[in-house]
């Protein structure tokens, strides 16, 4: 819809700008919001308590859930990519550079989602996850360019995981850039910190 409607004043084609942002949004929606809410209510209803009585460890649970998220994301990438191509999107550069961005983005958002689900009550997880989703959607350059934000806000916004994922995907898929070192570094730091915190503080019940 955003790529077809004249809602954005962009230098190039709107679909080239919007498609990578929608891919990043799909990663955040699945790995963070959806997983946080589902896991929070699994914890509330005792599903995780029963899993905790098995040999399954907290890192093992996180890895299993992250692998399931990756499987869903693969389908999302295929569907979103096909729709974008039908709307005239022609990715530039080497799309393989998008793979480490998606993997690290998934790890970072999965860690954040599991951290919330494993430490807060289910209702609080639902509220906080949706609030963070809206904030990250608005600030992360998903639909609107970062240069529309106040200049004093941009340095902090550029360090957000959604901004790094969106910027990285846009640089390699729309700009034809090579190795996205900056975005990958930001996502790597977020993934390491959030997964470590989730593994440390996640509670089964």
């Amino acid at each position: 819809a955003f790529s077809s409607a004249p809602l954005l004043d962009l230098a190039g084609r709107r679909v080239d700008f919007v498609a990578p942002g929608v891919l990043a949004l799909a990663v955040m929606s699945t790995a963070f919001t959806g997983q946080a809410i589902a896991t929070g209510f699994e914890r509330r209803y005792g599903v995780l308590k029963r899993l905790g009585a098995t040999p399954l460890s907290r890192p093992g649970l996180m890895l299993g859930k992250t692998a399931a998220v990756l499987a869903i994301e693969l389908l999302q990438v295929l569907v979103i990519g096909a729709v974008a191509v039908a709307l005239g999107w022609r990715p530039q550069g080497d799309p393989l550079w998008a793979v480490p961005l998606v993997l690290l983005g998934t790890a970072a958002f999965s860690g954040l989602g599991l951290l919330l689900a494993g430490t807060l009550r289910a209702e609080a997880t639902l509220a906080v996850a949706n609030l963070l989703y809206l904030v990250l959607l608005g600030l992360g350059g998903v639909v609107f360019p970062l240069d529309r934000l106040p200049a004093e806000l941009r340095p902090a916004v550029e360090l957000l995981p959604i901004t790094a994922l969106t910027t990285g995907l846009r640089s390699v898929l729309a700009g034809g850039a090579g190795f996205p070192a900056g975005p990958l570094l930001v996502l790597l730091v977020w993934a390491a910190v959030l997964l470590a915190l989730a593994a440390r503080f996640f509670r089964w019940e």
Side-chain angles (χ1 to χ4, degrees):
F2 271 100
S3 66
S4 300
L7 300 177
L8 298 174
D9 183 17
L10 301 172
R13 297 190 309 164
R14 285 190 295 272
V15 68
D16 293 334
F17 177 85
V18 172
V22 174
L23 288 172
L25 182 63
V27 172
M28 182 175 72
S29 301
T30 304
F32 169 52
T33 315
Q35 183 168 218
I37 295 171
T39 306
F41 281 93
E42 287 173 354
R43 181 168 163 250
R44 175 184 177 180
Y45 294 133
V47 175
L48 298 185
K49 181 180 179 180
R50 291 178 176 86
L51 288 176
T54 71
L56 182 66
S57 62
R58 282 181 293 187
L61 173 68
M62 290 191 298
L63 288 174
K65 282 186 167 290
T66 300
V69 164
L70 286 171
I72 296 173
E73 287 176 354
L74 177 60
L75 295 176
Q76 289 177 319
V77 168
L78 293 175
V79 172
I80 294 170
V83 171
V85 168
L87 290 171
W89 182 42
R90 298 296 180 266
Q92 306 296 318
D94 188 352
L96 288 179
W97 288 125
V99 175
L101 287 165
V102 170
L103 291 177
L104 283 177
T106 299
F109 285 119
S110 182
L112 179 58
L114 292 173
L115 178 62
L116 293 180
T119 55
L120 302 177
R121 294 179 58 186
E123 295 81 3
T125 298
L126 176 63
V128 173
N130 281 311
L131 176 60
L132 286 177
Y133 179 85
L134 292 175
V135 171
L136 294 174
L137 171 61
L139 295 178
V142 175
V143 176
F144 299 100
L146 292 178
D147 58 15
R148 306 294 169 85
L149 297 174
E152 59 273 11
L153 192 61
R154 284 178 221 158
V157 169
E158 289 173 354
L159 295 177
L160 294 174
I162 184 60
T163 309
L165 181 57
T166 304
T167 302
L169 288 176
R170 197 165 282 139
S171 69
V172 300
L173 296 179
F179 181 67
L184 282 175
L185 178 60
V186 172
L187 290 172
L188 178 61
V189 172
W190 277 107
V193 172
L194 290 171
L195 287 174
L197 289 174
R200 172 65 178 83
F201 295 106
F202 189 92
R203 299 195 304 268
W204 296 95
E205 57 181 303

